């Protein structure tokens, strides 16, 4: 954004009697990914990370994000305009209390939840809902996405949309509500077995829905985006209503109790339901937990998707082992090669997120995004980190490997750091725990080997993953600050500890894990993890002396499984490479 536009924004705020304005990163669907047409934070600040917020005052402005994007904030924002703040160490409300106590702050009610607005109001600010002033200044704003809504067939979904609507409707009734407002497109996609292409890496259509306690429903979407086959798939119990007519439809809810999640829904829905005379009942999205617990069909689909993905990964790793010592590769060319290997599978529907392909110091930027300007050669004797994933109709993948480029030997300190990350990864992967255990209770397992050396990493250890949906899915996660959601059989989560040396290198090792019942446990049920990802870890970076017998046994068994499941699908030279990469570690006395 040019300075003149920034001045125009401040003038617009002044004309409305506002002291400032809050611009979150998200759009009205409050998801992690937003289409270009809704990337207001990027337009305003230049920051393109997946989590952030900006506050503009008359004489100061700050942009906030978490530890994943500390370096990216520095690279992408102008220090003459923006103060860069760590959103945990300096929460926006605390910064605002210091910068403009008691101020009148404008906000877009489509972009903030009731809980978020209350946080500022409780801190003494007068929160004023306004039409977003950025929309008037953004002259070359792209058109919003308009992909068709397509049916997700039962051979992948494992349950009909009618069955899902019925059981979620029963949950609504048990909560004493007449309907639920679904403001998360992922919930709409799961509940109605719909997929689309409104976002580059997440196969959803951006829309809202209302589900009644009798199982009937309304989807608020342009009817032109719903082909006849999809209408037939949805059935007579589902009405299609354009967004422009949503207020008129909500007016039929007068006197009805409508479930709405104040933590995830835009506050605008509270206002609309209030205007309609409905009674808003605060409660969580009833689709979140059922969506996270994959049914048997989805579990088998995840295994099949990861076998397919594993073939591409192992071909890439074999290629990289030969290509990196020869030189001539860059971050972009390596990522393109992995994309090409994945693309040979007919079922591949694109990446599940933009690949993080970082060599050397770029690997230390936790969510680094390579561009034509930042692309750099992958040099000899350095660390290369590749974090990527694929979308397949039967599953979503997410995997990270950290590789040594060679041809020389990695330094001992690097091997120490890598092996501590690997030890933490293994400790979490081989955990057994009683039913009722939550992710925050297990997070320390992945950090302990690093903590032993006074080291740590500034991101969560793992997140949930959808079934041909978002690569980042709630409600469970491995994070010290996460809600204690009990892990349940069928959940899929990532296991991705790391270590980052700013200006030097980054290490992250990630597999996806499926929660399954454990054969142990007499007094109460126990659970454990089944690794889904199938790709070897770079043994050149492993110091076996830092792994205990149990960890070495797990690694050898994991590599043997990779070889058994992937080896038969590889040609001679690549299979020979895989056999060496999956060989047992040397015994350590």
């Amino acid at each position: 954004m040019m300075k003149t536009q920034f001045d125009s924004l401040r003038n617009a705020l002044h004309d409305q009697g506002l002291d400032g304005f809050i611009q979150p990163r998200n759009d009205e669907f409050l998801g992690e990914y937003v289409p270009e047409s809704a990337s207001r934070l990027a337009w305003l600040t230049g920051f393109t990370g997946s989590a952030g917020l900006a506050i503009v005052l008359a004489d100061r402005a700050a942009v906030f994000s978490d530890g994943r994007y500390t370096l990216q904030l520095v690279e992408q924002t102008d220090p003459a305009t923006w103060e860069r703040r760590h959103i945990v160490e300096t929460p926006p409300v605390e910064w605002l209390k210091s910068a403009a106590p008691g101020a009148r702050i404008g906000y877009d009610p489509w972009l903030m939840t009731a809980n978020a607005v209350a946080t500022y109001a409780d801190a003494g600010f007068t929160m004023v809902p306004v039409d977003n002033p950025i929309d008037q200044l953004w002259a070359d704003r792209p058109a919003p996405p308009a992909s068709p809504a397509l049916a997700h067939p039962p051979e992948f979904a494992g349950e009909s949309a009618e069955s899902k609507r019925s059981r979620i409707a029963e949950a609504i009734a048990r909560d004493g509500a007449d309907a639920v407002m679904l403001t998360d497109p992922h919930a709409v996609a799961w509940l109605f077995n719909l997929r689309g292409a409104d976002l580059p890496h997440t196969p959803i259509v951006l829309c809202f829905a209302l589900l009644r306690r009798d199982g009937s429903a309304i989807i608020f979407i342009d009817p032109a985006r719903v082909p006849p086959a999809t209408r037939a798939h949805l059935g007579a119990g589902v009405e299609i209503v354009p967004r422009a007519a949503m207020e008129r439809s909500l007016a039929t809810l007068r006197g009805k109790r409508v479930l709405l999640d104040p933590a995830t829904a835009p506050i605008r829905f509270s206002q609309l339901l209030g205007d309609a005379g409905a009674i808003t009942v605060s409660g969580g999205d009833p689709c979140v937990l059922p969506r996270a617990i994959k049914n048997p069909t989805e579990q088998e689909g995840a295994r099949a998707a990861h076998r397919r993905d594993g073939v591409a990964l192992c071909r890439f790793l074999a290629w990289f082992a030969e290509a990196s010592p020869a030189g001539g590769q860059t971050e972009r060319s390596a990522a393109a090669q992995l994309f090409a290997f994945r693309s040979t599978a007919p079922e591949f529907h694109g990446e599940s997120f933009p690949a993080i392909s970082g060599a050397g110091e770029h690997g230390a930027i936790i969510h680094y995004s390579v561009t034509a300007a930042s692309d750099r050669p992958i040099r000899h004797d350095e660390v290369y980190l590749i974090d990527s994933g694929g979308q397949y109709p039967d599953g979503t993948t997410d995997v990270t490997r950290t590789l040594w480029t060679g041809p020389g030997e990695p330094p001992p300190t690097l091997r120490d750091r890598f092996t501590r990350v690997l030890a933490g990864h293994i400790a979490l992967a081989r955990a057994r725990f009683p039913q009722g255990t939550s992710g925050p209770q297990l997070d320390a397992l992945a950090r302990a080997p690093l903590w032993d050396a006074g080291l740590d990493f500034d991101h969560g250890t793992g997140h949930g993953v959808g079934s041909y949906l978002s690569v980042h899915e709630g409600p469970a996660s491995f994070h010290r600050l996460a809600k204690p959601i009990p892990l349940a059989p069928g959940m899929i989560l990532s296991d991705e500890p790391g270590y980052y040396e700013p200006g030097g290198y980054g290490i992250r090792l990630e597999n996806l894990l499926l929660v399954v019942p454990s054969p142990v446990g007499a007094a109460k049920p126990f659970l454990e993890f089944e690794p889904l990802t199938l790709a070897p870890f770079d043994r050149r970076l492993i110091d076996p002396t830092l792994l205990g017998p149990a960890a070495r046994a797990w690694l050898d068994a994991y590599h043997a499984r990779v070889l058994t499941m992937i080896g038969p699908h590889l040609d001679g030279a690549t299979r020979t490479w895989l056999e060496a990469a999956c060989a047992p570690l040397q015994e350590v006395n």
Side-chain angles (χ1 to χ4, degrees), residues 47 49 65-77 84-86 360-369 458 500-506:
F47 173 62
S65 192
D66 59 34
R68 296 171 296 172
Y69 297 111
T70 302
L71 297 178
Q72 190 171 333
L73 275 177
V74 172
E75 289 189 350
Q76 292 186 327
T77 60
R84 294 81 161 252
R85 301 292 182 177
H86 192 297
E361 71 283 356
H362 285 169
I365 304 172
I366 296 172
H367 273 201
Y368 171 68
S369 179
D458 193 11
Y500 308 91
E501 191 70 42
Y505 58 86

Side-chain angles (χ1 to χ4, degrees), residues 104 199 238 386 428 550 563:
R104 284 174 55 83
L199 297 176
V238 179
I386 178 72
L428 180 57
L563 181 60

